[in-house]
Amino acid sequence: MIDDQTLLTKAIEARENAYCPYSKFPVGAALLCVDGTVYTGVNVENAVNGLSLCAERVALFKAISAGKREFTKIAVACNAEHCQPCGACRQVLYEHAPDLEILMGNPEGRFKRTTIRDLLPEAFSL
Ligand code: THU
């Protein structure tokens, strides 16, 4: 199984493919599935405000569209210390992985460890 530092490295590397001409703030994510496979994602922005998608959701939707349904960990990296998933991503991640571990990283490979439950207490679910 992939170790935390390697998962974060995948997020850092993925970041290079971010499409972020408006914010100029590249973000990369690497999502680990229970079967050991990893799906990466980047933020994909759009000239129409509101249509952009965050790196975390791109990674998750790639994995789901490939048939994956169980996830253990996600690493996120941006050009800041401890890249925190936004509120929308927290809700979407919680739906599919209420026990998800999160590695909030920076480009140098340092990270802070947390969980989706800590980031989104009393989450909404049906
Ligand atoms: N962004 C992400 O992709 N993930 C995060 O966790 C925080 C923010 C993106 C959204 C937008 O494209 C840019 O970073 C900041 O404006």
Side-chain angles (χ1 to χ4, degrees):
M1 193 60 76
I2 187 169
D3 63 73
D4 289 349
Q5 207 66 56
T6 308
L7 190 66
L8 179 59
T9 299
K10 285 184 183 294
I12 292 168
E13 288 172 356
R15 204 177 42 123
E16 286 160 25
N17 292 329
Y19 178 76
C20 54
Y22 307 104
S23 72
K24 299 187 180 5
F25 189 78
V27 183
L31 177 68
L32 177 63
C33 307
V34 284
D35 65 4
T37 53
V38 174
Y39 287 80
T40 59
V42 299
N43 50 334
V44 182
E45 298 183 347
N46 193 273
V48 177
N49 289 337
L51 297 186
S52 303
L53 208 53
C54 294
E56 295 91 325
R57 276 177 284 161
V58 169
L60 180 67
F61 294 164
K62 278 170 69 179
I64 288 173
S65 65
K68 307 297 175 179
R69 288 294 184 271
E70 289 184 84
F71 313 101
T72 53
K73 205 175 288 186
I74 190 167
V76 191
C78 63
N79 294 345
E81 197 71 31
H82 304 144
C83 191
Q84 300 98 342
C86 78
C89 286
R90 294 177 195 197
Q91 176 65 31
V92 173
L93 289 167
Y94 181 85
E95 167 108 8
H96 297 278
D99 296 313
L100 193 70
E101 275 185 69
I102 300 172
L103 309 179
M104 302 187 296
N106 75 358
E108 282 76 51
R110 292 188 298 277
F111 64 86
K112 195 155 101 180
R113 189 185 304 275
T114 186
T115 64
I116 193 67
R117 286 189 197 280
D118 279 349
L119 290 186
L120 192 67
E122 301 190 48
F124 175 78
S125 65
L126 292 175

